Amino acid sequence: MPVKGMRTILFKPSPSTSPARSIPHRQTFSDTLMDENIENAQELISKWDVTHSSSLHCDVTNLFASDNRYEARQYLNSIKDLQIAMQYYISQEPTSDKLVLAQNLMQIAMKRLEKEFYIILKSKRQHLDPESVSRATRSSVSEFDDESEEDGESRSVGEDSISEVELVSMAAMEDLKAIAECMIGAGYGKECVKIFKIIRKSIVDEALYHLMNFESRLSSAQIQKMDWEVLEVKIKTWLNAVKVAVKTLFYGERVLCDKVFSSSPSMKESCFADITREGALSLFVFPENVAKCKKAPERIFRTLDLYEAIADLWTEIEPIFDLESTSTIRQQAINSLIKLGEAALAMLTEFETAISKFNSKAAVPGGGIHPLTRYVMNYITFLIDYSGVLTDILVDWPLTVPSYLPEAFFGSPMSADGTSTSAISIRLAWLILVMLCKLDGNAEIYKDVALSYLFLANNLQYVVNKVQKSNLKLLLGDEWIEKHEAKVRQYASNYERMGWNKVFAALPDANDNQMTTPQVTECFKRFNSSFEDAYNKQATWVVSDSKLRDHLKVSVASKIVPVYREFYGKYRQVVARKEGVVRFAPDDLGNYLSDLLFGTGDSGSNLSSSSSSSVSSVTSSSGHSRGGRSR
């Protein structure tokens, strides 16, 4: 190496001793690449510049139209390249004119994307409605599962199964997602979110308005002032609306927000919360306001409908609104459940009180079914349809039963297999007991003791039948039914004893074979009188249950007819010539008894006159018999 060259290298002046001068930036390979990024981006961004384009192309054509798909992707890629170039110049040459150019191009590009984002949200509205989004999302998930299991040929068949609407929805979501990611990456996420919230909130609010078909923001005071018939119509509307709102509207909106803003958890949460909060709170506060209305017993069924609707949807409500910013919506749904449960409990208590305070001095004609019995049992039977939600409500409110009442009256808290009886079983059994106690008091209205027992038998049999023919049987159990059937038999036996005791007493002793003619005459007259009295008295009495009615008549007949038949056959000839002594043939008794307990009173209106034919026939037949024997 020449000495001069060596000196130049070894004795190079240090920076501190060299004269100050400006060193021009040398163009590097990286500079060249970044410049190319800016140039390529400038060409494409200028083409779609909404403010300075000399061509009308960008005004009449959408960048993300179906025929511009490739160019739209190029546009997004050019923005990413532009970002890289900007970051490069910020770190390498922050005063470069290229950096200024890149920043201007980025602003132009963001305006374009902002416009495209708005256009897609508006023009594809029908394909971005919650139902379409929900269906498209489920189809895409199903398609993904199919693709993971099937071969290529099967996948092509699966793609054909996705409808055109679903394909458009999926494409629109993908475009929105791509634009959002690009704008968020460029620091323009707020502008993107603002557009999304405004448009989507109007769509959700409008959908809720049409679903509810009434002003969903009704105040508690407005609801409480409504007539129940009007409010009941609104409850029915709400019950239909809440299912669609949760399963489709809110679910679809959550899917859309998660999809479009998947690159920013905070933004997707903010969007979904701000879009749905107002509508969801209005939707879920409605049941709470209804729960504040008058606690009339007949309103319990609609109250339980509301409770059941929220409870059934809770497994979907919770994951949809599982974000911290939507916790108020979850809490409102829970509050409505609590208030509805409390209202239902208050209505049950009011129902029990109404039974206890029921006061009627009018006796039911013929000892038939009391209106209270029908009302209470129909009410309780309808409650069985809500046994699931009632169990949830009553489990925290155990029934307090007076200690002096035996468990047999209302059911044991322990079932036969040793497991705890459900709270609803005990509660309903208690309501039935309260009603039966009230009926015991009503039975005292009847002046005839036999009729009071018939009244109790009738009504308890009605209760047992209602239990056996409904799901009450599963709740109250066989033991409860057996105990109350035994009670029916006891009432029936008491009716029989008190209603027919004089007739039974009028029958002669079967072992008395030494009766004189006057004794026979007196026995027939005493029987005639007692039977006529019992029959005429009971002609208007009624037993509604055909099996119980037949049982009573067969039982009475079995105690009267055989004994009378034997006495009649032995002594009728002794008094055959005495008119009016033998009033009834044995078969007549069976016929008369068969006419009883229908409550018509026709056949028993005048038993004395109607039985005169029997007298004639008996006398006539006796005469013929004697004549026949004399011959």
Side-chain angles (χ1 to χ4, degrees):
M1 176 179 292
V3 177
K4 183 178 180 181
M6 183 70 72
R7 188 181 300 117
T8 303
I9 296 174
L10 295 178
F11 300 99
K12 182 178 181 181
S14 64
S16 58
T17 58
S18 59
R21 60 177 178 173
S22 175
I23 302 176
H25 178 74
R26 182 181 299 175
Q27 184 81 6
T28 65
F29 179 70
S30 297
D31 291 342
T32 304
L33 291 178
M34 295 304 106
D35 289 348
E36 288 181 0
N37 286 348
I38 294 174
E39 290 174 4
N40 293 335
Q42 183 177 16
E43 180 181 354
L44 195 53
I45 290 172
S46 297
K47 177 181 177 181
W48 293 94
D49 185 356
V50 297
T51 57
H52 296 96
S53 178
S54 57
S55 171
L56 294 176
H57 178 76
C58 66
D59 292 328
V60 298
T61 307
N62 296 332
L63 175 58
F64 283 80
S66 57
D67 55 347
N68 289 327
R69 308 296 299 175
Y70 177 72
E71 189 163 350
R73 295 305 167 188
Q74 280 188 316
Y75 193 92
L76 294 176
N77 289 333
S78 70
I79 293 175
K80 293 178 182 178
D81 292 340
L82 189 61
Q83 281 183 272
I84 295 173
M86 290 173 65
Q87 292 169 357
Y88 174 80
Y89 279 112
I90 289 172
S91 62
Q92 297 296 323
E93 195 176 353
T95 59
S96 172
D97 293 338
K98 297 293 182 65
L99 179 58
V100 176
L101 174 60
Q103 290 174 334
N104 291 334
L105 289 173
M106 183 63 71
Q107 291 179 357
I108 295 171
M110 290 302 105
K111 288 183 180 180
R112 181 73 228 183
L113 290 183
E114 192 174 329
K115 180 179 179 180
E116 292 293 329
F117 198 74
Y118 177 86
I119 290 172
I120 295 173
L121 286 172
K122 295 292 285 185
S123 64
K124 297 293 192 297
R125 173 173 176 169
Q126 69 274 23
H127 297 103
L128 291 173
D129 66 282
E131 185 175 357
S132 299
V133 170
S134 301
R135 188 167 58 246
T137 303
R138 292 189 178 102
S139 297
S140 63
V141 171
S142 175
E143 187 66 22
F144 176 80
D145 292 339
D146 292 342
E147 289 180 3
S148 63
E149 297 175 3
E150 306 294 338
D151 56 21
E153 183 178 354
S154 298
R155 286 198 298 270
S156 63
V157 174
E159 290 171 0
D160 293 337
S161 65
I162 301 177
S163 69
E164 183 178 351
V165 173
E166 291 166 356
L167 289 173
V168 174
S169 298
M170 292 165 65
M173 284 191 287
E174 288 294 336
D175 289 342
L176 291 172
K177 176 185 176 182
I179 295 173
E181 287 180 349
C182 189
M183 293 184 70
I184 292 170
Y188 286 79
K190 289 183 179 180
E191 290 78 358
C192 181
V193 166
K194 181 180 179 181
I195 295 172
F196 189 87
K197 286 181 180 180
I198 292 173
I199 295 177
R200 294 307 303 175
K201 187 177 186 305
S202 67
I203 292 173
V204 169
D205 289 347
E206 181 182 344
L208 278 175
Y209 178 81
H210 289 300
L211 279 175
M212 296 290 284
N213 202 26
F214 65 88
E215 179 53 57
S216 61
R217 295 171 181 81
L218 290 170
S219 67
S220 177
Q222 288 175 307
I223 290 176
Q224 292 184 51
K225 290 178 181 178
M226 286 183 184
D227 292 336
W228 175 246
E229 292 75 14
V230 175
L231 182 55
E232 191 172 18
V233 172
K234 295 188 183 300
I235 291 174
K236 291 178 181 178
T237 302
W238 186 92
L239 291 171
N240 293 325
V242 71
K243 295 178 183 178
V244 179
V246 172
K247 293 177 176 290
T248 302
L249 186 62
F250 295 138
Y251 171 77
E253 201 61 34
R254 176 65 189 269
V255 168
L256 185 61
C257 290
D258 287 354
K259 178 75 172 180
V260 174
F261 297 100
S262 58
S263 62
S264 175
S266 62
M267 287 185 179
K268 70 181 180 183
E269 178 173 344
S270 172
C271 282
F272 179 70
D274 290 349
I275 290 169
T276 60
R277 185 185 294 109
E278 184 179 0
L281 287 175
S282 297
L283 180 72
F284 290 124
V285 80
F286 176 79
E288 181 179 353
N289 290 333
V290 172
K292 296 176 182 178
C293 295
K294 181 182 177 182
K295 306 302 186 292
E298 65 273 9
R299 298 184 180 186
I300 192 173
F301 304 106
R302 284 302 175 197
T303 302
L304 293 174
D305 283 335
L306 292 170
Y307 185 102
E308 189 175 45
I310 299 176
D312 289 347
L313 290 169
W314 180 249
T315 54
E316 294 174 78
I317 293 172
E318 190 173 26
I320 291 173
F321 299 102
D322 62 349
L323 306 170
E324 180 64 27
S325 55
T326 56
S327 60
T328 54
I329 299 173
R330 296 196 309 273
Q331 190 58 48
Q332 179 56 64
I334 293 172
N335 289 345
S336 288
L337 278 178
I338 294 173
K339 295 300 182 182
L340 289 167
E342 292 174 352
L345 186 65
M347 291 171 189
L348 278 180
T349 304
E350 182 63 26
F351 179 61
E352 178 185 335
T353 302
I355 298 172
S356 301
K357 291 183 177 180
F358 180 83
N359 187 20
S360 174
K361 296 181 179 180
V364 177
I369 309 302
H370 199 286
L372 179 67
T373 309
R374 296 184 188 277
Y375 177 74
V376 171
M377 291 310 300
N378 286 333
Y379 187 95
I380 292 176
T381 302
F382 280 124
L383 282 180
I384 296 304
D385 294 336
Y386 303 91
S387 58
V389 295
L390 273 176
T391 299
D392 292 340
I393 294 170
L394 296 174
V395 69
D396 295 326
W397 302 90
L399 179 67
T400 302
V401 179
S403 58
Y404 57 82
L405 287 177
E407 291 176 351
F409 279 97
F410 59 89
S412 170
M414 297 298 291
S415 59
D417 60 0
T419 58
S420 297
T421 304
S422 68
I424 184 176
S425 301
I426 297 175
R427 178 74 61 161
L428 297 184
W430 171 254
L431 289 174
I432 293 174
L433 174 60
V434 172
M435 177 197 68
L436 293 177
C437 290
K438 196 67 182 178
L439 293 176
D440 282 343
N442 280 104
E444 297 176 0
I445 298 174
Y446 296 99
K447 295 179 180 180
D448 193 301
V449 178
L451 182 56
S452 68
Y453 279 120
L454 189 67
F455 169 78
L456 292 174
N458 263 325
N459 284 270
L460 186 54
Q461 184 63 56
Y462 179 87
V463 171
V464 171
N465 289 345
K466 276 288 188 179
V467 171
Q468 288 180 321
K469 294 177 182 179
S470 68
N471 288 332
L472 272 170
K473 180 178 181 180
L474 301 177
L475 288 175
L476 299 181
D478 294 334
E479 184 180 357
W480 186 96
I481 294 175
E482 290 169 3
K483 288 177 180 178
H484 287 79
E485 283 179 331
K487 196 71 175 177
V488 172
R489 291 192 294 270
Q490 180 183 338
Y491 289 145
S493 177
N494 290 342
Y495 149 77
E496 184 180 303
R497 178 171 52 84
M498 301 303 295
W500 296 93
N501 59 342
K502 291 183 179 180
V503 180
F504 298 154
L507 292 169
D509 186 354
N511 296 322
D512 189 355
N513 297 319
Q514 302 299 324
M515 294 182 69
T516 63
T517 300
Q519 289 176 325
V520 171
T521 301
E522 181 61 26
C523 187
F524 269 115
K525 288 183 176 180
R526 187 168 63 248
F527 177 82
N528 294 340
S529 176
S530 61
F531 185 82
E532 286 178 4
D533 287 346
Y535 181 89
N536 289 333
K537 183 187 296 182
Q538 298 185 36
T540 57
W541 295 7
V542 63
V543 174
S544 302
D545 182 74
S546 60
K547 290 183 179 179
L548 178 60
R549 183 172 60 245
D550 292 343
H551 167 76
L552 288 173
K553 290 192 287 191
V554 168
S555 179
V556 171
S558 67
K559 292 178 175 65
I560 295 177
V561 176
V563 179
Y564 182 80
R565 188 184 300 278
E566 183 178 351
F567 175 71
Y568 175 87
K570 185 181 295 185
Y571 292 108
R572 67 174 178 172
Q573 292 185 8
V574 175
V575 293
R577 296 186 179 277
K578 295 185 177 183
E579 185 177 354
V581 173
V582 180
R583 298 284 304 280
F584 303 103
D587 290 341
D588 293 334
L589 296 179
N591 292 334
Y592 283 125
L593 289 173
S594 67
D595 290 337
L596 288 178
L597 304 181
F598 285 102
T600 58
D602 295 337
S603 61
S605 59
N606 189 355
L607 180 58
S608 298
S609 60
S610 65
S611 60
S612 61
S613 60
S614 297
V615 178
S616 301
S617 63
V618 170
T619 304
S620 175
S621 62
S622 299
H624 289 321
S625 299
R626 286 195 298 272
R629 284 196 295 272
S630 64
R631 292 190 186 95

